[in-house]
Amino acid sequence: MENFFKLKENNTDIRREVIAGITTFLAMAYIIAVNPDILSVAGMPKGAVLTATCLSAGLTTIGMGLYANLPFALASGMGLNAFFTFSVVKQMGVDWRIALTAVFVEGLIFIILSVTNVREAVVNGIPNTLKLAVTAGIGLFIAFIGFVNSGIVIQDPDTLVKMGDFTTPPVIISVIGIIVIVILSKKNVKGALLWGIVISTLVAWGYALTNPKVAAEVYKIYLPNGIFKFESLNSVAFKLDFSYITNPDKMWSFITIILTFLFVDFFDTVGTLVGVATKVGMIDEAGRVKNAGKALLVDAIGTTFGALVGTSTVTTYVESSAGVAEGGRTGLASVVTGILFLAAMFLSPLFIAIPACATGPALIIVGFFMMENIVEIDFSDFTEGVPAFLTIALMPLTYSIGDGLTIGILSYAILNLINNMLIRDEAKKKKVSIVVYVLAILFTIKLIMTGLN
């Protein structure tokens, strides 16, 4: 363990990595239930998708641990699965087999970009200010997810969002979880996030035991419906359909779908990787993410493999920060998370029964942890502070890490280009990576094309 994962070198140990791996898994376990629900709307068999979700998440996360030695977990991406179902299948009328094929081709393109180090160059070319901003922005983003899952923040037709009802069981359970995590963290108890999830889950199950009908129908809190169950992959695995490629009338629609998957996955992954890595010091003196090339290659392979076994785009999860906050620093944490995903294929009724209001508190507290480095951003320099602010604010407000990073980089490029043009002294001009300007051009084209469509 020590020689392979370099535990001492990363100031960690087996116990800490195991706790981190379990914590990351529990923070992500909701995808085991949510992904099949979303993809079933596209006409895919729910049970088979559940198995595909666990298998792809498990093997790719283990791959991340063994190959890249990083505590990052992967699974079918939220947002990407919604785009798969509601935009591609429902709105465009594309069969889910065609959509899976688009995901598969996107993964192949990712692999090529990763092998040629294009993706790594993008990650390393992002300015340090934006890396700090991405960390804080992701913190707000996942905290927002936690507040919504907890029922503390709810939808409102007039104001978009508002405060939830603090007398409802989900909110009470979430508040208990937050209090438990804060107290245990204050006492320096290892695994505070994990204990918060476990205690919240037990309280939720206790409520479901006393009032099962209301708990299930109103608050989506269920008792485990058994323990062991396995669903076959036969109905979704290797069901790719390449007919759109050979049809001139359909080919351009297919290319558009691929590029959209590619864009969203690319920048969600980059944003997550940069944000979490910056938070825990996995950045070298040159501002480069540790083992970024390997991590990005695993992510690309995961997308391709996921499409083959029958699920939407597999991507690096921001919830990895929950395990990182518990001290996870090496791939051992990812191996633990991956094993738990594989086990979930056979224990799915148990893991699906962990309610969102039990994992919400962990996400909220992790969001708090990820805001710490915001003080290092120089907000007095408008060419640094404004792009950072836009990145931080727009990630939760657009519900997209990729969109927040897009506007952050675009504004950084524009403001610094104008500023440098106004400065005559070459020595005072700010050095901006060519990667930033290339990305800015691509983002401009993307925004224009999105507006025209």
Side-chain angles (χ1 to χ4, degrees):
M1 289 286 188
E2 169 58 36
N3 292 334
F4 189 86
F5 293 108
K6 299 179 174 61
L7 301 178
K8 291 182 180 179
E9 179 181 319
N10 289 281
N11 193 30
T12 186
D13 53 48
I14 293 176
R15 180 178 178 275
R16 184 179 299 173
E17 295 296 303
V18 170
I19 290 175
I22 295 172
T23 302
T24 295
F25 171 76
L26 290 178
M28 293 174 59
Y30 67 88
I31 196 63
I32 301 173
V34 174
N35 199 51
D37 280 343
I38 292 177
L39 297 190
S40 66
V41 177
M44 301 180 70
K46 183 179 289 188
V49 173
L50 187 148
T51 302
T53 301
C54 291
L55 181 63
S56 58
L59 293 182
T60 54
T61 300
I62 290 173
M64 179 69 78
L66 296 179
Y67 181 61
N69 195 25
L70 291 172
F72 301 144
L74 302 90
S76 301
M78 290 295 295
L80 288 160
N81 53 10
F83 174 75
F84 181 103
T85 294
F86 300 107
S87 297
V88 177
V89 176
K90 303 297 288 184
Q91 186 176 2
M92 299 177 65
V94 176
D95 186 82
W96 62 264
R97 297 167 186 83
I98 301 290
L100 276 181
T101 307
V103 174
F104 175 76
V105 175
E106 173 227 336
L108 293 179
I109 296 173
F110 260 18
I111 291 174
I112 294 172
L113 293 178
S114 299
V115 171
T116 56
N117 293 325
V118 173
R119 290 180 74 185
E120 187 174 4
V122 171
V123 175
N124 294 332
I126 297 175
N128 285 332
T129 292
L130 289 184
K131 288 177 180 176
L132 294 169
V134 166
T135 304
I138 290 176
L140 285 181
F141 178 71
I142 63 175
F144 183 61
I145 294 173
F147 285 125
V148 171
N149 289 349
S150 301
I152 295 174
V153 173
I154 61 175
Q155 289 183 332
D156 183 84
D158 298 319
T159 61
L160 300 183
V161 294
K162 67 177 183 179
M163 186 77 75
D165 184 354
F166 272 70
T167 64
T168 59
V171 176
I172 294 172
I173 292 167
S174 298
V175 170
I176 291 173
I178 293 171
I179 293 173
V180 168
I181 293 172
V182 171
I183 291 176
L184 294 181
S185 297
K186 180 67 176 179
K187 297 294 184 180
N188 294 320
V189 175
K190 297 299 181 182
L193 291 173
L194 175 58
W195 281 114
I197 294 173
V198 170
I199 292 173
S200 296
T201 299
L202 292 177
V203 173
W205 287 352
Y207 171 71
L209 190 63
T210 60
N211 201 345
K213 186 175 181 180
V214 174
E217 295 179 2
V218 179
Y219 302 117
K220 309 300 181 185
I221 297 174
Y222 309 91
L223 287 170
N225 184 20
I227 298 177
F228 301 102
K229 188 176 183 181
F230 178 80
E231 299 280 355
S232 172
L233 280 171
N234 290 340
S235 58
V236 296
F238 302 102
K239 299 295 182 181
L240 303 183
D241 183 348
F242 291 91
S243 60
Y244 269 37
I245 295 178
T246 58
N247 186 338
D249 295 331
K250 303 288 187 180
M251 184 174 63
W252 288 112
S253 295
F254 187 69
I255 291 174
T256 300
I257 295 169
I258 291 172
L259 292 178
T260 303
F261 275 129
L262 184 68
F263 183 87
V264 176
D265 188 19
F266 185 104
F267 289 102
D268 272 4
T269 300
V270 167
T272 300
L273 186 65
V274 169
V276 178
T278 302
K279 169 65 180 173
V280 295
M282 293 180 181
I283 304 288
D284 63 19
E285 294 179 355
R288 293 174 297 191
V289 177
K290 172 186 173 183
N291 291 341
K294 291 183 177 181
L296 295 169
L297 180 58
V298 172
D299 184 271
I301 293 173
T303 292
T304 306
F305 176 73
L308 287 176
V309 299
T311 187
S312 55
T313 309
V314 172
T315 187
T316 305
Y317 253 59
V318 68
E319 283 84 355
S320 302
S321 54
V324 170
E326 283 296 345
R329 295 295 181 271
T330 73
L332 179 56
S334 292
V335 171
V336 172
T337 302
I339 291 173
L340 291 174
F341 266 113
L342 295 180
M345 289 191 298
F346 306 95
L347 302 168
S348 56
L350 186 63
F351 292 114
I352 288 175
I354 297 174
C357 60
T359 57
L363 298 181
I364 293 168
I365 298 302
V366 168
F368 160 73
F369 289 153
M370 297 190 73
M371 293 296 293
E372 292 176 353
N373 292 333
I374 196 172
V375 296
E376 297 181 23
I377 298 174
D378 184 7
F379 286 104
S380 64
D381 182 348
F382 276 38
T383 62
E384 297 285 324
V386 171
F389 166 74
L390 292 174
T391 302
I392 294 169
L394 289 175
M395 282 189 181
L397 293 179
T398 61
Y399 211 75
S400 170
I401 295 171
D403 287 348
L405 183 60
T406 294
I407 299 302
I409 290 179
L410 187 58
S411 61
Y412 189 93
I414 293 173
L415 291 176
N416 280 284
L417 177 62
I418 294 174
N419 186 62
N420 284 341
M421 291 173 63
L422 296 175
I423 296 176
R424 294 184 178 182
D425 188 351
E426 291 292 330
K428 294 182 179 180
K429 292 184 178 181
K430 187 182 298 181
K431 293 182 180 180
V432 180
S433 170
I434 187 65
V435 171
V436 172
Y437 291 121
V438 171
L439 289 176
I441 294 172
L442 294 176
F443 289 152
T444 301
I445 294 172
K446 183 261 182 184
L447 293 174
I448 293 172
M449 295 301 294
T450 300
L452 293 175
N453 291 333

